[in-house]
Amino acid sequence: MSISGQRGSVLAQPLPRPSAGRIAAYLGLFLLGAVVGAAGTLVQAAWFPGGLLLALAGAAGLFLGGSRATGSRAGAVAPGAGWMVAVVLLTSTRPEGDFLFGAGLGSYLFLLGGMAVAVMCATLGLGRQPDDSFVRLGK
């Protein structure tokens, strides 16, 4: 409250804590993103042109679906973060010299394309909309 007794702008108010169900949904989307990232790592290398497109389409479907399911952009960010963690961990080499990513065009397209798809889905995802019936959007 300000000195005059009125509350400030809605943007100046602290965000409410998300519910336990929403936290569980974001955690589930994070884990699902990690699974899709690991599967995409294997698929994109197995069948080069088709596997790459299939892996990126699967990631895009998960990111956009998470955004639509939760009704927020965080629904696309959570699986995107899980995808990123899984892919980055899989790019590192093991002490034996084994690795999943080769230094080829397909691997770089998968890494950069997946990041671009995550950013696009988080940007185009549903943002917060006013729930007041007096607000007229697009008119």
Side-chain angles (χ1 to χ4, degrees):
M1 295 232 170
S2 66
I3 295 174
S4 64
Q6 296 178 357
R7 294 185 73 163
S9 168
V10 175
L11 296 175
Q13 301 302 318
L15 291 175
R17 182 168 188 233
S19 66
R22 188 166 286 272
I23 291 172
Y26 291 146
L27 183 61
L29 286 169
F30 180 84
L31 294 175
L32 194 57
V35 169
V36 168
T41 299
L42 299 174
V43 168
Q44 65 89 20
W47 307 297
F48 171 60
L52 176 65
L53 294 175
L54 180 65
L56 291 177
L62 175 63
F63 303 155
L64 194 58
S67 175
R68 301 278 173 153
T70 60
S72 69
R73 289 186 175 123
V77 172
W83 183 91
M84 182 68 71
V85 167
V87 169
V88 166
L89 288 177
L90 291 173
T91 58
S92 62
T93 59
R94 295 178 32 167
E96 297 87 16
D98 298 337
F99 56 89
L100 289 176
F101 282 96
L105 180 65
S107 297
Y108 291 121
L109 286 175
F110 178 67
L111 289 169
L112 296 175
M115 286 186 252
V117 165
V119 168
M120 283 188 282
C121 290
T123 303
L124 297 174
L126 300 174
R128 280 196 246 169
Q129 297 292 323
D131 35 341
D132 192 5
S133 62
F134 298 110
V135 176
R136 295 177 44 178
L137 298 176
K139 295 188 181 194

